[in-house]
Amino acid sequence: MDKNTPDSISRQALQRMPYYLQALRAARDAGAEIISAPTVAAQLGLNEVQVRKDFASVSDTAGKPKTGFQTSELIAAIERTLGYDNTNDAVLVGAGSLGRALLSYRGFEAYGLSIAAAFDVDPNLTGGEISGKQVLPMSKLSSVCHNMNIHIGIITVPASQAQAVCDALVSSGILAIWNFAPMHLNTPEGILVQNENMAASLAVLSKHLSERLDSKLVD
Amino acid sequence: MDKNTPDSISRQALQRMPYYLQALRAARDAGAEIISAPTVAAQLGLNEVQVRKDFASVSDTAGKPKTGFQTSELIAAIERTLGYDNTNDAVLVGAGSLGRALLSYRGFEAYGLSIAAAFDVDPNLTGGEISGKQVLPMSKLSSVCHNMNIHIGIITVPASQAQAVCDALVSSGILAIWNFAPMHLNTPEGILVQNENMAASLAVLSKHLSERLDSKLVD
DNA sequence: GCAATAGCAGTAATATAATATCGATATAGT
DNA sequence: ACTATATCGATATTATATTACTGCTATTGC
């Protein structure tokens, strides 16, 4: 009954954090030791109160009226909240074009994510390396996850195989899944699935575009 | 005053569409000529009524009680709504690791997106080709967009340059921007920005993981 | 040095949007 | 004809974002 929610941050608040981080770092690099919520809100196109609430939810030190928040303290608080300080290892399944793309992308390390190894069913791919990361057969998945204590799985296989891969990851001890396959994954309770559905993004883009171009014709 | 909203679909409804599409195609390929909303809802872990409403918002033909909706008709309706039938050309700015990754990814064509050309400021990159796509200097951006009638821009540059690139895209006639840079972009009215912020996704993943692992220690 | 003022933080209340629930109607199969 | 199941419209609930308000702190003017 002791609900014990020390800091329950909503998902959308969490997703705003990286934007705050970027803005705060830029401000700090520009020499701003102190920054106010309205300033950040204006930069990001958000509501002042929302920004304040988000800041309050991660930082234990309060802001001071008329001045604002300590920039460096806020940055540290957000980084701590997001776990950017301690690196998380991950495995990637699916060494196709998208998988190779992510393996060669070096930007994740800045956010505390390190891809330890890749896996694939295709014997032509396994055994070699892609961007310095080993590509292993699926049979090694479980042992690698357990031995290296890995809890994050990245799925970059076609939709038809995604659910099977997901099940394999779950039984290998994976707790959080980053799903690039354009489909819904069924998982047991307690497993988080973060969908990175490019098709969904493209849907929004494409729809907006067609509406804009249609209205342009009317003009 | 004539609001002229023939079919205003909410953004999250739009983002569910690709999931419906995947499920419906799978059902069709399995031989199901007719499919009901509850069936799809169960597969995707959604509410029945929500699925029904989403179907109704794109399809003009009503579903029939006791049976459901015509699978093929629904698929066509969603594809039409998302504009997957007519291909949209796009330009990509930023031929770094992420940009190259997207250029080499062949999955977009299935969703009606075709990257016509890439651009970069680095003279070492421009002039060549990546995955069969020309890499051009930024000076050519505007003319290419206008000549080829391109209205979608993909930003894969570091955050520090993203706003400048965004401005350049807007003044080149771009109406919709797919932003992979981990920062907020300020745009004029009428320009759609779809953020594909991997950092935001990682934030959710990382937070969930740390909470799970902490609770595991308590067990 | 002191009072007045302007700007910002913090909390509460309202508004909005999305989602889930409920009731009524219609249809296919038995 | 009856029953089970699905669509459809209307309502209720929830989560989230916006607005309004109060109080505090630093700057400005006297």
Side-chain angles (χ1 to χ4, degrees), chain A residues 37-67:
Chain A
T39 307
V40 175
Q43 274 182 38
L44 302 182
L46 298 174
N47 185 281
E48 309 179 4
V49 181
Q50 187 172 57
V51 174
R52 241 194 302 280
K53 270 176 79 174
D54 288 343
F55 284 178
S57 68
V58 296
S59 169
D60 29 37
T61 67
K64 278 170 71 177
K66 184 71 188 212
T67 56

